[in-house]
Amino acid sequence: QGNIVDCNHAATCLLGIGPDQIGRSAELVLPFWGDLVTATGPAGRHCTRLRSADGAVRHASVLLTPIDNGEGAPLGSLIMVHNITQRHEIELALRESNKALQRKLLENEELQRELREQALRDPLTGLRNRRFLESVLPVEVRLAKERDASVSLVFVDIDRFKTINDAHGHVRGDDMLKALGRLIRKKLRDPQSAGRYGGDEFMVVLPDTDLDAAVAWAESLRLLFEPIAAAYNGSIRAATLSAGVASYPEHGGDAADLIHAADVALYDAKNSGRNCVRVGLAKTVLKARSLGTY
């Protein structure tokens, strides 16, 4: 009939059931009775929160087992309540610790990603650095070979940059490098293919771009830079660019060939009076020069 028939000492301590409550309705004695029966159902073990008569809230594992007379007629139920408050608190603390650990791992992964990004990016201009560019160029040459396409390389250098630094200070020089970096980024479909190669020298990889198109691109950059630099730096008038261009397959079959050819072309531009674009020598001509027959 839903009355309490008996309880042990642990039930008295945990649930607050005294001897004077034996025989009374469990629903009246135990304020959580309805929730307890609903949580456990007719039979089974469940975990629930129990609020005893003293107001304390405990976590408990509850097992409700029906009792019959041996012939199937129900007589009542046996309820076993295990106080798992301490275990619950430990599990809760462990879950919080795991969450904190997951957050820390995510933070570490983000930090590692940022460090990897910083290791491959020039902090002054925001473009890629030499280490990244020298890993990109071989890939682009290989892809060009597979697709029977072209890939071009442009070396860009600010003319008389040391003189500008000496005359106007490194802050003005840095401003000019930043201005060139912004211009290069603006003129590229993929800014990831350009970067600061070292000092005031920039390297630009142009996938799917033949030699004529690469020369036109470099010439356009040269023409755009001079007024930008002059306006940005005021009294600096010698803000011009020199550029050297090389392409696959004209100038070789690997990244080293293109770098060498573009570098030679850049020095040729410098020796030709600066503020101009020059094309690298073809691979066969380079070989002839190295043998002293050019």
Side-chain angles (χ1 to χ4, degrees):
Q1 289 78 42
N3 297 326
I4 298 174
V5 176
D6 196 8
C7 65
N8 65 0
H9 179 70
T12 299
C13 297
L14 179 61
L15 304 178
I17 303 174
D20 57 332
Q21 293 166 323
I22 299 299
R24 296 184 60 194
S25 168
E27 188 174 358
L28 295 177
V29 173
L30 303 174
F32 51 82
W33 178 255
D35 295 336
L36 181 65
V37 174
T38 302
T40 56
R45 182 184 295 277
H46 295 270
C47 295
T48 188
R49 297 173 68 219
L50 304 178
R51 183 181 297 276
S52 58
D54 61 1
V57 176
R58 298 179 176 89
H59 293 268
S61 173
V62 181
L63 177 65
L64 187 148
T65 306
I67 300 174
D68 59 35
N69 63 357
E71 297 179 355
L75 295 179
S77 299
L78 172 66
I79 301 175
M80 296 184 65
V81 182
H82 293 265
N83 184 4
I84 60 170
T85 302
Q86 185 177 15
R87 188 183 79 186
H88 175 81
E89 291 174 350
I90 293 174
E91 290 175 349
L92 183 62
L94 183 60
R95 284 196 297 269
E96 291 300 319
S97 178
N98 285 337
K99 289 180 181 178
L101 180 59
Q102 289 297 324
R103 287 193 297 268
K104 192 66 177 177
L105 288 174
L106 291 175
E107 291 173 2
N108 288 341
E109 289 175 0
E110 179 64 18
L111 179 59
Q112 290 176 5
R113 187 194 66 78
E114 291 177 0
L115 290 175
R116 286 194 298 268
E117 181 70 13
Q118 291 173 11
L120 300 173
R121 191 175 292 280
D122 173 50
L124 181 64
T125 63
L127 294 174
R128 293 299 186 174
N129 60 17
R130 178 171 181 165
R131 178 181 177 187
F132 179 84
L133 294 170
E134 290 185 341
S135 68
V136 166
L137 185 57
V139 175
E140 292 297 341
V141 172
R142 177 178 57 81
L143 292 175
K145 289 180 180 178
E146 293 174 355
R147 299 195 301 261
D148 194 22
S150 298
V151 59
S152 293
L153 177 65
V154 179
F155 273 147
V156 180
D157 187 275
I158 299 176
D159 296 326
R160 299 183 177 89
F161 186 70
K162 184 179 185 304
T163 302
I164 294 171
N165 265 341
D166 292 343
H168 302 277
H170 289 281
V171 173
R172 281 292 182 86
D174 287 350
D175 288 342
M176 187 172 291
L177 292 173
K178 292 175 185 177
L180 178 54
R182 287 193 295 271
L183 180 59
I184 291 174
R185 188 184 298 109
K186 184 177 180 180
K187 282 182 59 61
L188 287 175
R189 294 189 303 270
D190 180 14
Q192 304 294 333
S193 62
R196 187 178 174 196
Y197 199 66
D200 60 317
E201 189 173 352
F202 288 74
M203 175 177 169
V204 182
V205 181
L206 299 173
D208 299 314
T209 305
D210 62 21
L211 184 59
D212 290 340
V215 171
W217 186 93
E219 181 66 16
S220 172
L221 182 75
R222 183 188 69 81
L223 294 173
L224 288 171
F225 177 72
E226 188 170 359
I228 290 175
Y232 197 87
N233 292 281
S235 60
I236 300 175
R237 300 186 182 278
T240 59
L241 294 181
S242 294
V245 183
S247 294
Y248 167 83
E250 291 89 339
H251 297 98
D254 58 33
D257 288 339
L258 296 189
I259 290 175
H260 179 59
D263 197 41
V264 170
L266 178 59
Y267 278 100
D268 187 23
K270 295 289 187 180
N271 294 331
S272 300
R274 300 181 175 86
N275 194 21
C276 61
V277 177
R278 290 291 182 266
V279 175
L281 297 173
K283 178 68 172 176
T284 54
V285 177
L286 287 174
K287 284 183 177 179
R289 172 182 283 185
S290 67
L291 293 172
T293 59
Y294 175 73

